[in-house]
Amino acid sequence: MERYKEEFIEFMVDSDVLKFGDFVTKSGRKTPFFVNTGFYRTGAQLRKLGGYYAKAIHDKFGLDFDVLFGPAYKGIPLSVAASIAISEQYDKDVKYCSNRKEIKDHGDKGILLGSPLGAGDKVLLIEDVTTAGTSIEETLPIIRAQGDVQVCGLVVSVDRMERGKGEKSALTEISETYGFPTAAIVTMAEVVEHLYNKPYNGKVYIDDTLKTAIDAYYAQYGA
């Protein structure tokens, strides 16, 4: 595993974004792990987060795109942080854009926030964690209504590696449904590989008991 992925896993733990215990997902699944990117709350955290996204984007998609689009609301700071990081790390100036939940009818009017989308723009979607693809389903019509733009991929922070609406993973379903590639900074398999029975900051986050619970979860919901 690349070192930046190991660092990102530790960064999620340090930021209380990645937690282990007993949780219930929005879809009603009882899960022994939870990823909540709402716990990135400081400028320093967002700067680091943007850097990890930039590295993953560079490695998995390259830099041949024009706009980073982050669906409202959590995607807004992600698109800003990652576009800044891409500029700093790779000297590539990309635009950022997000949608509004409500259309603004005064001042900076319309459904979009940030850069407008124009004909010929190559757009890369950026999200936190995708479990059912709902926000992509809602967002793509908005993007495509702006004109002849090309959606060239989706990047998320963590691939939970569980079934979406069918038997395949949410990221695979999105890729097959909409015809563009998907990628994640890390997968849950990589999280388990890095933390299982390996102390971090003096604590073992995934011991045998939790590993058994994770395995049982994937036996039921794994893609």
Side-chain angles (χ1 to χ4, degrees):
M1 189 191 319
E2 297 96 324
R3 179 55 191 155
Y4 86 93
K5 292 187 175 187
E6 296 176 339
E7 291 175 353
F8 179 64
I9 293 166
E10 294 165 2
F11 171 60
M12 287 194 292
V13 171
D14 292 340
S15 303
D16 286 329
V17 166
L18 174 61
K19 297 183 178 183
F20 301 99
D22 294 308
F23 308 95
V24 178
T25 67
K26 187 182 295 184
S27 59
R29 297 174 180 175
K30 293 183 178 180
T31 173
F33 58 89
F34 198 73
V35 180
N36 184 354
T37 58
F39 278 84
Y40 295 123
R41 293 173 173 172
T42 72
Q45 287 174 329
L46 286 176
R47 187 183 187 92
K48 289 186 71 173
L49 178 62
Y52 291 122
Y53 267 109
K55 173 66 174 169
I57 289 168
H58 176 266
D59 287 358
K60 296 173 182 181
F61 294 100
L63 298 174
D64 184 22
F65 63 93
D66 307 296
V67 184
L68 265 180
F69 191 99
Y73 288 103
K74 287 184 178 180
I76 296 174
L78 298 181
S79 64
V80 173
S83 62
I84 292 172
I86 289 170
S87 173
E88 292 178 341
Q89 294 176 200
Y90 301 107
D91 196 29
K92 166 78 172 182
D93 196 21
V94 299
K95 297 177 282 188
Y96 81 91
C97 183
S98 297
N99 62 297
R100 292 184 169 99
K101 290 290 188 179
E102 304 83 18
I103 298 177
K104 190 177 179 184
D105 60 4
H106 61 281
D108 182 19
K109 296 181 180 180
I111 191 87
L112 299 182
L113 173 71
S115 173
L117 299 179
D121 276 345
K122 296 179 180 178
V123 180
L124 182 66
L125 301 173
I126 182 169
E127 276 220 278
D128 54 352
V129 180
T130 297
T131 52
T134 304
S135 66
I136 299 301
E137 187 177 338
E138 295 172 348
T139 302
L140 279 177
I142 296 172
I143 294 175
R144 289 172 172 163
Q146 307 309 309
D148 183 20
V149 301
Q150 175 188 347
V151 178
C152 53
L154 164 70
V155 61
V156 301
S157 61
V158 180
D159 180 359
R160 287 182 59 100
M161 301 176 65
E162 62 189 79
R163 295 196 305 272
K165 296 177 180 178
E167 294 301 312
K168 298 179 180 180
S169 74
L171 289 183
T172 299
E173 287 180 349
I174 289 170
S175 182
E176 293 183 353
T177 300
Y178 300 109
F180 53 74
T182 58
I185 302 175
V186 295
T187 66
M188 274 306 299
E190 290 170 328
V191 170
V192 173
E193 174 189 340
H194 185 56
L195 295 178
Y196 177 45
N197 278 342
K198 298 174 184 176
Y200 173 63
N201 285 342
K203 178 179 179 179
V204 174
Y205 285 87
I206 302 180
D207 57 14
D208 289 335
T209 300
L210 186 58
K211 176 66 161 54
T212 299
I214 292 173
D215 289 345
Y217 182 79
Y218 280 110
Q220 184 173 5
Y221 297 116

